[in-house]
Amino acid sequence: MRSGNLIEAIGDTPLVELPALSPSPSVRLFAKLEGNNPTGSVKDRIARAMALAALDDGALSAGRTILEPTSGNTGISLAMVAGRLGFPFTAVMPDNVSPERGQLLAAYGAEIVYSPGEKGSNGAIEAAQEMAARDDRYLMLYQYGNAANPQAHYETTGPEIIRDLPEVTHFVAGLGTGGTLMGTGRRLREFNPAVQIIAAAPELDDRIQGLRSLEEGFVPPILDLSLLDGRIMVSGEESFRKTAELLQKEGVFAGVSSGAALAAAQRVASRVSEANIVCLFADGGWKYLSAGLWTDGAEALREKAEGKVWW
Ligand SMILES: Cc1ncc(COP(=O)(O)O)c(C=O)c1O
């Protein structure tokens, strides 16, 4: 496929069947590989949509700097998109996220402001809000509350799945901002009201990079829980194991939230006799290499993960 520039190359990711991980020939699992986006994650879709919407309504204009609290993927995507559109970008992130993330942001030309690691992503949100209130050069796109986030999935992710697998019965994705689930879910439901929309979420106190537990107290404004048919809790340890299994059994090198999505999809699969389940794998495995999860055993992984927040 040919594109006029990198922003146009976002989306249209492969939908790949996972036969070795499906329980029976009548219950089929498919993965939407968002790691195939230009910067390696699903967030390219929303970075493009939020920036273009801000340009359209005049909020993004000459002299402004895009600001976003993000522990990684959204920042990397915004850094690329902002650069292509000619705007500076500043990311606010907890100081304990994996080193690859800071390195990648810097490589894409972003400025990084660190917030206290023990306050997690909520601390990064607070710090960015304070910066935006103090300095009106900053434009915070705020993925948690920006309608262009779910809209990007409504306009791209959903239609791609319908085009590639019109017989889809279930959609499973990790819950972070909720943008993927809301936008894709709404589009799939319009196509077939019987499609089930299921979130994979971390157990409270378990940190899975990119996902959030609503029990921590913050419910993203764009999230409408009534659209979800279920929320399946997955532990960090199970997410690691499934992420490793994905590479062993299917050759798919994906990030840890994809292990959580796979675990949730397999739980759904075990309850039905006939289904075409699509799970969305939000990013590739590259940013998680330092976790050692493809090389160490589960026990070692659990020990490593204790007390850390960057998975
Ligand atoms: C690795 C990863 N997985 C899953 C998600 C969740 O996606 P969403 O924010 O659309 O709910 C994110 C979002 O931050 C992410 O970075």
Side-chain angles (χ1 to χ4, degrees):
M1 191 187 41
R2 175 168 159 173
S3 308
N5 57 55
L6 197 60
I7 289 182
E8 285 179 11
I10 292 169
D12 228 341
T13 51
L15 186 69
V16 176
E17 187 158 4
L18 307 174
L21 294 168
S22 304
S24 76
S26 60
V27 179
R28 302 169 74 179
L29 275 181
F30 297 83
K32 186 129 177 87
L33 302 184
E34 292 298 305
N36 283 40
N37 276 299
T39 78
S41 89
V42 66
K43 294 295 181 175
D44 283 354
R45 295 178 188 269
I46 73 155
R48 170 173 67 181
M50 294 192 302
L52 293 182
L55 271 178
D56 244 17
D57 68 18
L60 182 58
S61 54
R64 300 210 74 179
T65 293
I66 298 175
L67 174 76
E68 191 70 10
T70 164
S71 56
N73 283 332
T74 302
I76 293 160
S77 297
L78 278 173
M80 185 275 280
V81 169
R84 297 298 83 222
L85 297 175
F87 292 93
F89 172 66
T90 300
V92 184
M93 60 195 247
D95 58 16
N96 52 1
V97 301
S98 75
E100 291 97 326
R101 289 172 180 265
Q103 286 164 5
L104 256 175
L105 277 168
Y108 274 105
E111 190 192 330
I112 303 167
V113 173
Y114 287 103
S115 57
E118 67 276 10
K119 288 191 173 174
S121 55
N122 291 347
I125 295 171
E126 270 168 41
Q129 280 168 336
E130 281 167 24
M131 287 169 67
R134 270 200 317 266
D135 187 341
D136 59 15
R137 243 180 335 139
Y138 286 127
L139 173 67
M140 188 157 131
L141 295 173
Y142 196 51
Q143 59 172 339
Y144 293 96
N146 191 322
N149 169 0
Q151 189 65 16
H153 294 288
Y154 180 85
E155 287 173 8
T156 67
T157 321
E160 289 169 27
I161 293 170
I162 293 166
R163 178 197 65 200
D164 295 340
L165 189 73
E167 58 273 40
V168 55
T169 57
H170 298 74
F171 178 67
V172 183
L175 175 67
T177 64
T180 305
L181 285 157
M182 294 296 105
T184 312
R186 218 174 290 133
R187 188 57 169 250
L188 294 180
R189 277 278 176 72
E190 277 177 17
F191 175 70
N192 174 2
V195 173
Q196 301 271 299
I197 310 300
I198 292 145
E203 283 176 0
L204 186 63
D205 295 333
D206 258 343
R207 307 278 175 169
I208 301 170
Q209 181 67 55
L211 305 190
R212 62 171 46 249
S213 157
L214 300 179
E215 283 67 25
E216 268 181 20
F218 175 72
V219 178
I222 60 167
L223 185 63
D224 172 6
L225 287 171
S226 70
L227 190 70
L228 298 180
D229 295 291
R231 193 155 57 97
I232 294 179
M233 311 299 253
V234 183
S235 71
E237 193 188 340
E238 188 179 9
S239 304
F240 301 155
R241 261 194 296 112
K242 288 293 171 188
T243 307
E245 197 180 327
L246 200 48
L247 184 58
Q248 285 155 8
K249 295 201 172 152
E250 297 282 5
V252 176
F253 181 54
V256 180
S257 79
S258 303
L262 173 62
Q266 286 184 314
R267 254 181 262 172
V268 171
S270 70
R271 296 179 196 147
V272 292
S273 55
E274 235 175 271
N276 291 298
I277 302 166
V278 171
C279 48
L280 183 135
F281 293 168
D283 61 2
W286 301 102
K287 292 183 291 292
Y288 309 86
L289 276 174
S290 67
L293 72 100
W294 292 277
T295 44
D296 304 351
E299 186 60 27
L301 284 172
R302 191 147 47 90
E303 279 170 22
K304 273 179 93 168
E306 258 165 39
K308 293 195 179 178
V309 298
W310 41 281
W311 307 103

